[in-house]
Amino acid sequence: MPRVAGVVLAAGAATRIGGRKQLLSLGGRPILDYVLDAARQAPLDPLLVVLGSAASEIKAQVDLTGTQIVCNPRYREGQSTSVIAAVEALPDDVEAAVFLLGDQPEVAVPVLERIVETYRGTRSPIVQPRYAEGRGNPVLIARELFPELRRLRGDVGARPLLVQHRDLIAFADVSEFSRPVDIDTPDDYERARERFTARQEESR
């Protein structure tokens, strides 16, 4: 079985929401906790967490058990630097990596499982989930495209590869799930809090 790693990108300064969004509380827990919980339950090994802004606070407040921390001192230069730092830290026997965003607390474990299953079944260089609303994150990138990830610049993730290599993408059908929402603004956060509160009330 090909070894598939997980990479959680959580280094950004989050200026649009006033910083430290990884530590914003949902249901009494930091946002990043939910992403890591999902990643730990999925068939991802190793699990890397890229930190930059507020790294010391995150280490103190978030459960990082079972993860390998990758420090990105260049995080102010954009998300590409976190992707590059993660790729350079991956073991040589890792054949692919699923890149998760640290500000998507609603990412679902079955989605991650299906992404990995799709890769193992197709060996496609790129696997992207297709939700009820269309394509989304997280995205799997195979080792053969790691050199192109290393050439990324600026505040971008894998999007340039998705555009350039759209003919290489295999889609994981997760249409029974809604696309996880990024928490980038105070309005995003408030809507996420409302959804979490509603779910907690329903479970009582």
Side-chain angles (χ1 to χ4, degrees):
M1 296 288 282
R3 190 179 186 194
V4 178
V7 173
V8 178
L9 302 173
T15 54
R16 282 188 288 172
I17 204 168
R20 294 176 172 79
K21 71 175 172 181
Q22 304 93 327
L23 298 175
L24 291 173
S25 178
L26 283 178
R29 301 176 62 198
I31 283 172
L32 185 55
D33 257 354
Y34 293 96
V35 183
L36 294 175
D37 273 358
R40 275 190 287 256
Q41 295 176 63
L44 301 173
D45 175 53
L47 178 58
L48 277 58
V49 183
V50 185
L51 300 181
S53 176
S56 58
E57 293 95 329
I58 291 171
K59 291 176 184 178
Q61 298 180 44
V62 175
D63 180 8
L64 297 169
T65 302
T67 71
Q68 175 186 335
I69 297 171
V70 178
C71 294
N72 175 20
R74 298 172 54 203
Y75 68 90
R76 291 183 182 86
E77 298 174 34
Q79 191 179 87
S80 64
T81 62
S82 291
V83 172
I84 292 168
V87 168
E88 292 178 346
L90 288 171
D92 291 339
D93 63 342
V94 165
E95 294 190 25
V98 177
F99 290 86
L100 300 92
L101 302 180
D103 63 354
Q104 290 189 342
E106 295 167 288
V107 63
V109 176
V111 169
L112 299 174
E113 292 173 338
R114 210 161 298 171
I115 291 170
V116 175
E117 289 169 4
T118 301
Y119 171 68
R120 288 177 171 164
T122 65
R123 297 300 179 94
S124 295
I126 303 173
V127 178
Q128 187 174 23
R130 186 147 46 194
Y131 295 93
E133 304 84 356
R135 305 179 185 189
N137 288 304
V139 173
L140 177 147
I141 305 291
R143 177 170 288 279
E144 64 194 81
L145 294 179
F146 285 3
E148 295 188 37
L149 291 178
R150 289 189 176 96
R151 291 195 290 270
L152 293 172
R153 296 294 181 269
D155 195 23
V156 297
R159 185 176 298 277
L161 275 68
L162 302 184
V163 173
Q164 182 178 353
H165 300 297
R166 52 183 175 273
D167 57 324
L168 300 179
I169 301 174
F171 292 102
D173 179 17
V174 291
S175 54
E176 71 269 38
F177 295 93
S178 291
R179 187 164 48 200
V181 178
D182 296 36
I183 297 180
D184 288 327
T185 67
D187 286 344
D188 295 336
Y189 176 47
E190 187 56 38
R191 285 191 289 267
R193 288 179 63 187
E194 291 172 358
R195 289 193 298 273
F196 269 74
T197 299
R199 281 198 290 269
Q200 287 179 328
E201 291 176 351
E202 288 174 1
S203 64
R204 289 173 184 170

